[in-house]
Amino acid sequence: MADVLQLPFAVQYLIRHTACEVVIALGVVASEGWSAQATAQATLSGLLHAGLDASVPVIPAVVLTETARDAKSEIKSSAAGWVSGALALADMKRGATPVAGMMSNKLNSKG
């Protein structure tokens, strides 16, 4: 479970040593209880700070499940959304997509 706590440091390294426009940070916490929730929360907080400090959008794809099987299912069902969000943020960062347009497209696609 503690390995996922290294994810923010890996993201910082990736941002500093590559020319990435967006990072999708995938981590799995496959455990139960308050310590699993605390680990996931600390990881999410670290990812947020890593992205904000470097002005690089970070999609926090941290999955909190009880089993590895549940994690695999969650990743399969969420991956397209993570990639879509990353592509939209990359376009926005390049100035290709206005923020308001991106938000209205997201709202319209949900319902």
Side-chain angles (χ1 to χ4, degrees):
M1 184 163 56
D3 289 345
V4 76
L5 290 170
Q6 297 175 12
L7 196 54
F9 298 107
V11 167
Q12 280 183 330
Y13 183 87
L14 180 68
I15 290 171
R16 289 180 184 157
H17 294 90
T18 68
C20 61
E21 294 180 47
V22 179
V23 176
I24 300 174
L26 176 60
V28 175
V29 180
S31 183
E32 296 181 45
W34 67 268
S35 63
Q37 292 175 353
T39 299
Q41 185 61 42
T43 302
L44 291 170
S45 178
L47 292 171
L48 174 66
H49 287 291
L52 290 173
D53 289 347
S55 298
V56 173
V58 175
I59 304 291
V62 177
V63 178
L64 176 60
T65 65
E66 293 181 14
T67 67
R69 177 180 283 184
D70 292 343
K72 189 174 185 179
S73 174
E74 180 66 28
I75 291 166
K76 281 184 178 184
S77 68
S78 300
W82 295 328
V83 171
S84 175
L87 292 173
L89 287 168
D91 284 346
M92 185 177 69
K93 192 171 179 186
R94 285 188 233 117
T97 305
V99 175
M102 182 178 76
M103 295 312 248
S104 67
N105 289 341
K106 290 264 185 205
L107 292 173
N108 291 333
S109 69
K110 290 191 180 221

